[in-house]
Amino acid sequence: MNQSALLRPDWTPATIALMVLGFVVFWPLGLAMLAYIIFGDRLRGFKRDVNEATDGFFAGCRKNMHRHRSHFDTGNVAFDDWRKAELDRLEEERRKLDEMRAEFDSYVRELRRAKDQEEFDRFMRERNNARRDDSSGSVPGFSTP
C-alpha cells in the first residue's frame, strides 16, 4: 500500500491515528487533520480554482506591466521595435497556449464524464439483469400453479 492510499481524506485508521496524535501533541494539528479528513476531497478542486484565479491575476499584471514599459527604452529605436514585436509574439503564443490548455481541460472533463456515464450505465444494466434473474428464478420449496 502506498502513502497516498494511507493518507487519503477518509476515515482510515492512519488518518484517525494522525488526528488523535495531532490533538495530543498540539491541538491545531489535530484540528487540521480533522478538516483534511472531512474536506480533503474538495482540496483538488479548490487548488485548481485558486491556481486559475492566480494565473488570471498575474496575466493581467503582465499585460499592465508591458503597457507601462515605455520608460525602459534603450534609446535604439530598431532594437526597441524588435523587442516590442518579440514580446507581442510571445504574448500571442502564451494566449494560444492558454486557449489550448482550456480546450484540453474541457476535453479531459468530457472524457471523465463519458467514462463515469459508461460505468453508471454498466452498473444499472448489471443491477437490472440481477433483479430479473432473481425474480424469474423459482424459489425452492414453492411451486407455481
Side-chain angles (χ1 to χ4, degrees):
M1 186 179 288
N2 61 18
Q3 183 180 11
S4 63
L6 286 173
L7 294 179
R8 65 183 185 274
D10 199 4
W11 293 100
T12 63
T15 56
I16 293 171
L18 285 173
M19 179 184 64
V20 170
L21 183 66
F23 277 116
V24 169
V25 172
F26 185 57
W27 69 266
L29 292 176
L31 194 60
M33 192 64 200
L34 178 64
Y36 175 72
I37 292 170
I38 295 172
F39 302 110
D41 54 345
R42 300 180 196 159
L43 287 178
R44 284 191 187 106
F46 176 74
K47 182 182 176 207
R48 185 186 64 243
D49 294 344
V50 167
N51 284 341
E52 287 175 0
T54 305
D55 288 347
F57 174 76
F58 284 114
C61 290
R62 248 184 267 113
K63 288 177 187 173
N64 289 337
M65 186 171 60
H66 290 301
R67 224 179 283 145
H68 296 90
R69 283 193 137 188
S70 61
H71 65 279
F72 290 115
D73 292 341
T74 62
N76 186 327
V77 176
F79 176 77
D80 290 341
D81 289 343
W82 173 81
R83 186 181 74 185
K84 183 181 180 321
E86 286 297 306
L87 290 174
D88 291 343
R89 183 184 63 81
L90 290 172
E91 189 61 34
E92 179 65 22
E93 287 295 318
R94 175 179 282 288
R95 187 189 60 74
K96 287 179 185 176
L97 286 173
D98 288 343
E99 287 175 1
M100 288 171 53
R101 186 189 75 199
E103 288 174 13
F104 181 73
D105 287 346
S106 66
Y107 174 75
V108 168
R109 257 192 317 276
E110 184 60 29
L111 278 179
R112 286 186 186 132
R113 191 202 62 73
K115 180 183 172 194
D116 289 347
Q117 185 67 44
E118 178 185 331
E119 290 174 352
F120 176 74
D121 292 342
R122 186 177 343 120
F123 167 76
M124 291 303 288
R125 276 193 310 272
E126 290 172 1
R127 182 172 177 245
N128 290 337
N129 289 340
R131 282 190 176 175
R132 265 189 256 132
D133 292 344
D134 289 344
S135 64
S136 66
S138 62
V139 178
F142 294 101
S143 62
T144 57

